């Protein structure tokens, strides 16, 4: 949220925030979210795990919500953090990683095993955003070279 706030302040002209500060904020948030998400990866070589591509330990709805919220935050940070370089590849790489996170969330939520109970914690609003981003990010990446970005370097 701090990253979004700083980018909005910069783009509106309310503050002159150095790009390096935005990059530091984004990098720190991205690393923190990624470390949390990594806690749910299966231990390499664990023979009791059937599918090593699926997160482990998210059977409880509250824990699953924490996990999905972290992945959602990671996807947002990847898309919003300014690239160090202004070249097209440097700007597309984090967007592609963000798209991968959004797709992973949508795919996970499509599995009935990970559905939320009707009367407990849910992820409905965030899932709608993820589905929209899965549709929108590829187009953004394709036309990135013609986008007029704000002063922060992100659109």
């Amino acid at each position: 949220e701090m990253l979004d706030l700083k980018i909005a302040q910069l783009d509106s002209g309310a503050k002159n925030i150095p790009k390096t500060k935005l990059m530091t904020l984004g990098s720190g948030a991205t690393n923190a979210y990624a470390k949390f998400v990594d806690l749910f990866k299966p231990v390499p070589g664990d023979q009791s795990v059937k599918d090593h591509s699926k997160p482990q330990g998210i059977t409880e709805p509250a824990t699953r919500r924490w996990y999905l919220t972290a992945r959602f935050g990671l996807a947002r940070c990847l898309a919003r953090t300014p690239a160090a370089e202004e070249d097209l590849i440097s700007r597309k790489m984090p967007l592609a990683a963000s798209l991968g996170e959004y797709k992973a969330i949508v795919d996970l939520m499509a599995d009935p095993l990970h559905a939320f109970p009707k009367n407990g914690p849910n992820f409905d609003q965030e899932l709608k955003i993820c589905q929209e981003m899965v549709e929108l990010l590829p187009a953004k990446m394709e036309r990135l070279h013609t986008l007029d970005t704000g002063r922060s370097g992100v659109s």
Side-chain angles (χ1 to χ4, degrees):
E1 290 181 27
M2 181 61 75
L3 178 62
D4 285 336
L5 177 64
K6 295 295 183 188
I7 288 172
Q9 288 174 339
L10 181 62
D11 285 343
S12 71
K15 282 193 174 182
N16 187 16
I17 302 165
K19 183 178 175 181
T20 54
K21 183 170 185 168
L22 294 175
M23 291 169 47
T24 301
L25 277 172
S27 176
T30 299
N31 289 336
Y33 282 127
K35 284 180 182 179
F36 184 80
V37 168
D38 285 348
L39 294 173
F40 296 89
K41 287 184 177 177
V43 176
D46 185 350
Q47 300 299 323
S48 67
V49 177
K50 294 177 185 173
D51 186 354
H52 281 269
S53 68
K54 301 278 187 210
Q56 303 298 302
I58 61 168
T59 55
E60 292 294 321
T63 306
R64 185 165 47 257
R65 177 139 176 68
W66 298 335
Y67 171 79
L68 290 167
T69 300
R71 284 203 87 161
F72 182 73
L74 177 58
R76 286 183 52 80
C77 285
L78 286 166
R80 301 285 292 163
T81 302
E85 302 294 327
E86 290 301 318
D87 65 281
L88 193 58
I89 293 173
S90 295
R91 293 175 69 199
K92 276 188 173 183
M93 285 177 42
L95 290 177
S98 176
L99 177 60
E101 290 297 323
Y102 285 123
K103 282 182 178 179
I105 292 168
V106 170
D107 291 346
L108 188 67
M109 292 300 296
D111 183 347
L113 179 65
H114 295 108
F116 283 96
K118 296 289 181 205
N119 59 354
N122 66 54
F123 200 72
D124 296 344
Q125 291 178 339
E126 295 90 338
L127 180 59
K128 286 178 186 173
I129 293 170
C130 292
Q131 291 165 335
E132 289 175 11
M133 294 306 289
V134 166
E135 291 179 21
L136 296 173
L137 274 176
K140 180 177 180 175
M141 291 166 56
E142 282 302 312
R143 59 180 216 282
L144 185 62
H145 63 283
T146 61
L147 288 177
D148 181 22
T149 58
R151 291 177 39 201
S152 62
V154 296
S155 55

